[in-house]
Amino acid sequence: MGKSIGKELYKFRYLYLLLLPTLLYYALFQYLPMYGVLLAFKDFHIREGILGSPWIGLSNFKELVGQSDFWKAFWNTVYISCGRIIFEFPVAIILALMINEVAREKLKKFYQTVYTFPHFISWVIISGIMFNFLGSAGVLNELLALLGFEKVTFLTDPSLFRPIVFISSIWKEVGWSAIIYLAAIAGINPELYEAAYVDGAGRFQQLLSVTWPSIRGTAGILLILAVGNAMNGGFDQIFNLYNPGVYSTGDIIDTYVYRSAFDSGLGFGVTTAIGLFKAVLNFALLYSANFIVKRLGGEGLV
């Protein structure tokens, strides 16, 4: 048995060699850092290290629960994540269906390129563009002043921050997200469309009876992953767009941990407890979403 496994490994040694960098990446940056989770249950001292620091049980979690700022960031994360699922998630499906209906192949590729390109622009650059466009001295406010209207504090108004987050995220990521659905649509058997056409189905009826049922499983899996990633909130985007004026509606768990670690001076134990709390909650959401989708007749992840 051992010799046969050894022969198989040697036979496909070059394929395993190509796989080695990926395995090393996950081992070094995904699994090895889990050792630091112990900090959530310890009173960390640098000189004593993680193992040498004394155990304090759930004290860090008790301190976490008593912080009003944490709960504000928690609910902001919930609201923003729910908004992403409600407003952002369906747009990629709609865009993929619309692009698929374009008859000319060159025009279809053009739309794909235009909508996908923003994905490759970093949030640092996008935030700079938005500050120049929506800031108090930005292009839009200067135009409003020129037309005789009052300037609007787009980026410092708490009530406008979340809509700006959703709109900018859709603009940046909708094309990239639509690629998966377009790939699923490309795998649909053309004979299904021909049969629907013979039965008298128009383009919209074909979309409802052929296209959507064929990609519904893909949409279900991506929805499960989106729900399981809900507590992450989108650190890169929020961190580059928010400011103290919108903390009340824009401060999420990840940005709260960042500020707590570097500004507020909270110990590593408390911030690690926050990260562990978020990871456990994400896992619970992922499992629940997978269970619900399977109960509704979907395939699910497992």
Side-chain angles (χ1 to χ4, degrees):
M1 184 69 180
K3 291 183 178 180
S4 62
I5 294 177
K7 288 182 179 179
E8 289 296 317
L9 291 175
Y10 182 78
K11 180 180 179 181
F12 298 102
R13 60 190 181 278
Y14 295 116
L15 293 178
Y16 288 114
L17 187 62
L18 290 173
L19 187 62
L20 184 60
T22 302
L23 295 177
L24 288 176
Y25 167 80
Y26 279 99
L28 293 176
F29 298 104
Q30 301 295 329
Y31 289 98
L32 189 61
M34 289 183 181
Y35 164 70
V37 171
L38 294 175
L39 287 172
F41 307 96
K42 290 198 168 193
D43 183 15
F44 179 67
H45 300 289
I46 296 179
R47 293 183 179 179
E48 298 176 2
I50 296 178
L51 293 179
S53 298
W55 293 92
I56 57 174
L58 299 177
S59 296
N60 288 323
F61 291 92
K62 293 178 180 178
E63 182 179 349
L64 173 64
V65 171
Q67 295 178 5
S68 59
D69 288 343
F70 166 75
W71 288 112
K72 185 182 295 183
F74 172 80
W75 288 114
N76 285 339
T77 305
V78 171
Y79 296 145
I80 290 176
S81 296
C82 289
R84 291 188 189 280
I85 294 173
I86 295 172
F87 300 116
E88 297 180 20
F89 184 81
V91 176
I93 301 175
I94 296 171
L95 178 63
L97 295 174
M98 292 176 63
I99 292 178
N100 184 62
E101 293 301 312
V102 177
R104 297 174 58 184
E105 194 64 28
K106 290 185 178 180
L107 188 59
K108 182 183 296 185
K109 292 181 178 179
F110 171 77
Y111 285 136
Q112 286 183 258
T113 303
V114 169
Y115 284 110
T116 305
F117 176 75
H119 168 78
F120 300 98
I121 305 175
S122 71
W123 279 114
V124 176
I125 297 176
I126 292 177
S127 64
I129 295 173
M130 294 185 67
F131 286 136
N132 288 327
F133 187 75
L134 299 176
S136 58
V139 175
L140 184 56
N141 271 316
E142 291 298 328
L143 180 60
L144 290 174
L146 186 63
L147 295 175
F149 297 99
E150 293 185 1
K151 293 185 176 182
V152 181
T153 56
F154 292 101
L155 299 177
T156 57
D157 188 341
S159 63
L160 295 177
F161 183 75
R162 289 175 186 167
I164 290 175
V165 166
F166 299 144
I167 293 171
S168 60
S169 182
I170 290 173
W171 175 79
K172 184 178 186 298
E173 300 295 346
V174 64
W176 183 259
S177 300
I179 290 177
I180 300 177
Y181 298 107
L182 287 170
I185 292 172
I188 300 175
N189 190 342
E191 294 180 358
L192 296 175
Y193 290 105
E194 294 175 2
Y197 177 76
V198 171
D199 290 339
R203 296 295 297 177
F204 185 72
Q205 291 175 319
Q206 291 177 31
L207 186 151
L208 294 179
S209 60
V210 178
T211 307
W212 170 242
S214 299
I215 67 171
R216 186 170 54 191
T218 302
I221 292 176
L222 292 178
L223 179 60
I224 293 172
L225 295 175
V227 173
N229 197 45
M231 287 296 102
N232 289 334
F235 174 80
D236 288 346
Q237 180 188 18
I238 302 296
F239 180 75
N240 284 286
L241 291 178
Y242 85 151
N243 55 75
V246 296
Y247 280 174
S248 59
T249 59
D251 192 25
I252 60 175
I253 293 178
D254 288 341
T255 55
Y256 172 76
V257 171
Y258 177 88
R259 291 189 297 104
S260 299
F262 295 100
D263 296 339
S264 303
L266 283 180
F268 288 108
V270 178
T271 53
T272 304
I274 296 174
L276 181 58
F277 170 80
K278 188 185 74 170
V280 171
L281 192 55
N282 270 337
F283 175 78
L285 290 171
L286 178 67
Y287 183 85
S288 301
N290 185 69
F291 176 78
I292 293 172
V293 169
K294 292 181 70 174
R295 287 298 296 266
L296 294 176
E299 296 181 2
L301 294 176
V302 291

